[in-house]
Amino acid sequence: MTRGHADKKEQDGLNRPELMSSHERQPSRTDANHFVLTFENNRLASELFGQFDQNLKLIEDRLKIDARARGNTVTISGDVAATNLARRTLDYLYDRLQKGSPIEASDVEGAIRMAQAADDQLVFPALEKKAKLTMGQISTRKKTIHARTPTQDVYMRALERSELVFGIGPAGTGKTYLAVAHAAQLLERGAVDRIILSRPAVEAGERLGFLPGDMKEKVDPYLRPLYDALYDMMPGDKVERAITAGVIEIAPLAFMRGRTLANAAVILDEAQNTTTMQMKMALTRLGENGRMIVTGDPSQIDLPRGVKSGLVDALEILDGVEGISVVRFKDVDVVRHPLVARIVRAYDAEGAAKSIANQTGM
């Protein structure tokens, strides 16, 4: 990023001490497409801009603006709408730093997405410069997770509001990770007494019978993503003790039959691989003061040909039922490597082309 010389008026502003709180902070606008933001804490400003200004460079690339840092001040130039988005993104990230949350490149990407979404939803132009960017979040003692896409924001709010939530969409959108985080949060709050994490043990090109060990050892690899998310949310020793005590239970779906799961947060992952009877069985396990989150990707069904997915069936049957929320993620919500989103789009396009060819008999 090239750095030019500020004019005298701007230089005078740089030398003037800033005593404003983050809530009082306002940009010093010098013309329609150009303003200066000053952040009162030099150390946090340095973290905000990133090493070698890499966070500013990312904002520049995504929003097509020019951002030039000097000390604790950044000068932003470009299209009016884009510079306002940059201001709101930086203001949000700085507030996060003030609260003790570090930021990474993925957090900057998420803040940009959320600022763009919030901008699209603004009805009154007068609100554009004043509206403060807010995102849903899930907090445990070990970690606080902030929404990185508008759909994640909707999902987090649905998890708080509804007793049964379906999170549907491609891999990499955070639907399972956020579900486990929410369950851990409920457990720490005392809102539930236990967490039950389950997946159908459906083979995806593998053969369980050829794996060594007993049934638990055979299915543990299928449940590994759930373990990983748990250890990310809670200290390892607490996870181990909770599993040993039965406070956290990780089991294949087949083990749920005949049970009533009261005072529990239940997560059914990879639900596209349930049969219709398995899905009905799982949903009817919900007991008093129970919460259930069902996640899956209907484009990744590994059931035998001709067997209808219980997830697809449930979405059709339960459409419009009170107390149930359905949140649908798309390729734009993928928060892994940017290439993953492009891979998802390519496969979706191929699938759509094959569907059209089958319908036309070509």
Side-chain angles (χ1 to χ4, degrees), residues 276-330:
T276 55
M277 290 305 296
Q278 284 177 327
M279 177 59 77
K280 181 180 178 182
M281 179 273 291
L283 295 178
T284 54
R285 298 310 91 197
L286 191 62
E288 185 177 355
N289 192 40
R291 307 294 286 267
M292 183 174 288
I293 309 165
V294 179
T295 65
D297 179 3
S299 71
Q300 296 289 324
I301 297 172
D302 297 313
L303 293 169
R305 185 180 297 274
V307 177
K308 187 173 184 179
S309 166
L311 176 61
V312 173
D313 189 59
L315 292 173
E316 295 171 357
I317 293 172
L318 301 177
D319 183 36
V321 173
E322 184 179 355
I324 298 176
S325 294
V326 179
V327 180
R328 298 181 184 274
F329 293 85
K330 299 180 181 179

Side-chain angles (χ1 to χ4, degrees), residues 253-271:
L253 178 60
F255 293 5
M256 298 296 105
R257 189 173 298 278
R259 303 176 61 184
T260 299
L261 307 176
N263 299 307
V266 184
I267 298 174
L268 175 55
D269 191 34
E270 297 290 342

Side-chain angles (χ1 to χ4, degrees), residues 21-52:
S21 71
S22 62
H23 299 289
E24 297 170 330
R25 184 172 59 254
Q26 295 293 334
S28 172
R29 187 170 292 280
T30 55
D31 60 53
N33 298 352
H34 179 90
F35 61 80
V36 178
L37 272 176
T38 302
F39 300 93
E40 59 269 27
N41 187 305
N42 288 340
R43 180 182 60 81
L44 295 183
S46 178
E47 291 183 37
L48 175 65
F49 302 156
Q51 188 175 24
F52 304 116

Side-chain angles (χ1 to χ4, degrees), residues 82 105 126 153 159 183 187 230 262 266 272 285 293 318 331 340 360:
D153 184 69
L159 293 173
L187 184 65
L230 266 178
V266 184
Q272 75 275 4
R285 298 310 91 197
I293 309 165
L318 301 177
D331 59 86
V340 174
T360 59

Side-chain angles (χ1 to χ4, degrees), residues 29 35 79-89 128-129:
R29 187 170 292 280
F35 61 80
D79 175 77
V80 172
T83 54
N84 279 320
L85 287 175
R87 176 189 62 79
R88 294 169 68 186
T89 298
E128 184 174 356
K129 299 177 183 62

